[in-house]
Amino acid sequence: MKVPALLLLFIAGTLGQSCVGRCGVNDGVSGCQCNSVCSNYGDCCSDYEAVCFSCKDRCGEGYVYSKPCQCNNECGSHGNCCSDYDVECGGGTGGGVTDTDLRNLMEELYSLDVNSVGNQLVLDHQGQGSSGDLAPESLFVSVPESALTGPTISLLRQLQDNYIPSVSFAEDEDAAEVAEQEAFLDAVMATQVMQRAETFLTEKNLLSGSLRDKLKEIWFMMYTRSGSILGSSGFEHVFVGELKNGVVSGFHNWVSFYQEELDGNLNYMGWSKTVDLGDKGEIIMDHFEWLGEPKSIGSMMVGTSPELDMAMFTVCFLARPDSKCPTQMNGHQFQVQTWTLNYNGHVLVGSAYPDI
C-alpha cells in the first residue's frame, strides 16, 4: 500500500526527524529541534526554515512564543506574522508586511519630505571612534535660522523645552504645553510624509482609527520609568532626551542635540558610523556627555524633519515592535530598533532609534 507523502512527513515529525507538527517545540530528546533558539545551538531539523517560517498548514494556530513567526489573526498587530501569512491565510490582519514593503515605503517617505534641512547644516565630525573625547569642537558648526523656522521644526523646538531631564521627577503638563502638543500634531499630520504613512498603516491593517490619535497616544502619553513617578514619555525619551541612573537615556534628535550643544550643556565626543541621506542630511552614530552624564552609544538622524523621523519610528513600532525594522533611504539600507512599553493597558513607545 502506498503511504501518502503528508502522512510520511507527520510520522517523521512524531519521530523527531522533521518539524512538521513540531514548530516551537524543544523536547530535549529528539535528534533535532524546531524552536526559535535551535539555530543558536545548531540542532534545527533540516526542514526547520521551510516548515516553521511558513504559514502553510498553520493558519489559525494558537500563539506560541517559541515559534519563529506566527499565523493567527493577532500576528499583524504584533508584527510577528510569517512572511507568507497573506498568501496562505488570506491576510486581512496586517500580515504580509514584508521587508521590501517597509524599505519601499521609507524611500517614499524620504522623497516626500520637504521640511528636511540637511543641505543647510555644516557639521564637523572630527575624530572617529567609540570611546574617549575625540572631538575638541562642537558637532554643529553652522545652523542658519532658516533651518529652524520651518513649519514643523519650529513647533518641535517649542515642545522640547517642556521637559525635566531626570526621569525621577514628575512632568507637569500645563494647558499651554498641551496646546503646543496639539499644534505639533496638527502640523506633522498636514504633511505628505505623515499622510502617506497613515495610508500604508491603514492598508496593512496596522492602524484602526486616525494616525493622529495613535501618535498622541504612543508618543505623548506619560508613563513611569522610576517607581510610580510619571516622568517620561516616548516623545521626551526619543526627541528630547532623559537622565536615568547616571547615564543619558534616549536622546535621538538632532534639533535637541544642537540646542543643548549651543547652550553649553552637551559635549560631543566623536562619531563611529554615518549614513549619507543626500541633501536631506545624514545618520550619525556617536558618543557624548549631556549635563555631565555619558551617552556611550547614540544615534540620530541629522537634518531630517520631525515628521520623517516620527513617521519612520511609528511605522516600525507598529510593524516590527521590539525588533530591528528594515529601512532604506537615499539607496542606503539600515535598521530601526523600537521598544514597546506597556502602561495601564496601553502599548507605548519605550524607545526608537536608527541602528547603523
Side-chain angles (χ1 to χ4, degrees):
M1 179 180 69
K2 185 177 181 180
V3 180
L6 186 59
L7 179 57
L8 287 174
L9 286 173
F10 178 77
I11 293 171
T14 61
L15 295 176
Q17 300 170 1
S18 168
C19 284
V20 174
R22 297 179 59 229
C23 293
V25 172
N26 182 356
D27 56 21
V29 176
S30 301
C32 60
Q33 305 299 331
C34 304
N35 57 81
S36 58
V37 298
C38 67
S39 56
N40 296 337
Y41 295 94
D43 61 354
C44 299
C45 294
S46 61
D47 61 355
Y48 170 62
E49 291 192 5
V51 174
C52 297
F53 281 80
S54 171
C55 284
K56 186 174 177 61
D57 301 318
R58 292 177 54 202
C59 297
E61 66 182 11
Y63 170 78
V64 177
Y65 76 94
S66 56
K67 293 178 181 179
C69 59
Q70 307 295 326
C71 301
N72 54 69
N73 59 10
E74 294 294 324
C75 67
S77 60
H78 295 285
N80 57 9
C81 297
C82 295
S83 61
D84 61 354
Y85 175 72
D86 271 356
V87 174
E88 295 293 337
C89 304
T93 57
V97 181
T98 67
D99 292 357
T100 300
D101 290 338
L102 291 169
R103 291 192 181 104
N104 288 343
L105 173 71
M106 299 306 178
E107 281 284 17
E108 188 176 354
L109 298 181
Y110 169 86
S111 67
L112 290 171
D113 186 22
V114 297
N115 290 323
S116 288
V117 294
N119 58 354
Q120 299 185 48
L121 309 181
V122 178
L123 307 183
D124 182 5
H125 295 90
Q126 301 166 76
Q128 181 179 10
S130 58
S131 63
D133 194 344
L134 309 174
E137 305 298 331
S138 298
L139 172 63
F140 288 93
V141 175
S142 174
V143 180
E145 187 64 22
S146 59
L148 303 173
T149 55
T152 54
I153 290 177
S154 60
L155 293 175
L156 173 69
R157 297 184 76 202
Q158 291 180 18
L159 283 176
Q160 288 175 326
D161 65 0
N162 292 342
Y163 298 93
I164 302 169
S166 174
V167 299
S168 300
F169 289 86
E171 298 289 351
D172 182 19
E173 293 181 334
D174 59 28
E177 292 173 348
V178 172
E180 289 175 353
Q181 290 178 15
E182 298 295 327
F184 174 77
L185 288 171
D186 286 342
V188 296
M189 285 307 308
T191 65
Q192 288 184 297
V193 169
M194 204 62 82
Q195 290 168 10
R196 177 66 186 102
E198 182 171 37
T199 299
F200 176 87
L201 292 169
T202 301
E203 289 176 346
K204 296 297 183 179
N205 292 298
L206 294 171
L207 175 71
S208 59
S210 75
L211 180 56
R212 189 190 189 284
D213 290 344
K214 178 60 71 172
L215 296 178
K216 184 173 182 179
E217 175 192 11
I218 66 175
W219 286 105
F220 290 99
M221 180 175 287
M222 301 300 299
Y223 54 73
T224 178
R225 293 183 189 267
S226 179
S228 60
I229 299 169
L230 292 179
S232 184
S233 68
F235 178 84
E236 180 184 4
H237 183 84
V238 174
F239 286 87
V240 183
E242 299 178 307
L243 300 178
K244 180 181 179 182
N245 298 329
V247 298
V248 177
S249 181
F251 208 131
H252 301 290
N253 180 257
W254 73 268
V255 180
S256 181
F257 194 105
Y258 162 71
Q259 187 62 53
E260 291 302 297
E261 194 174 60
L262 185 68
D263 292 343
N265 297 326
L266 189 149
N267 177 27
Y268 168 69
M269 302 175 75
W271 64 284
S272 55
K273 297 179 183 178
T274 62
V275 173
D276 179 22
L277 297 181
D279 62 2
K280 300 282 199 295
E282 66 181 69
I283 308 171
I284 183 169
M285 182 175 288
D286 61 0
H287 62 286
F288 58 92
E289 289 182 350
W290 179 46
L291 297 173
E293 306 294 354
K295 179 74 172 181
S296 59
I297 303 176
S299 64
M300 59 182 174
M301 313 272 280
V302 178
T304 51
S305 71
E307 61 265 30
L308 182 60
D309 289 16
M310 186 170 280
M312 175 183 71
F313 292 147
T314 300
V315 169
C316 285
F317 174 81
L318 296 174
R320 297 287 192 274
D322 297 315
S323 62
K324 295 184 186 300
C325 175
T327 307
Q328 179 175 310
M329 291 184 181
N330 195 36
H332 298 293
Q333 292 188 7
F334 58 97
Q335 296 176 313
V336 167
Q337 175 71 57
T338 64
W339 297 107
T340 60
L341 189 147
N342 293 282
Y343 181 75
N344 279 355
H346 296 269
V347 181
L348 309 175
V349 174
S351 189
Y353 52 88
D355 186 342
I356 59 174

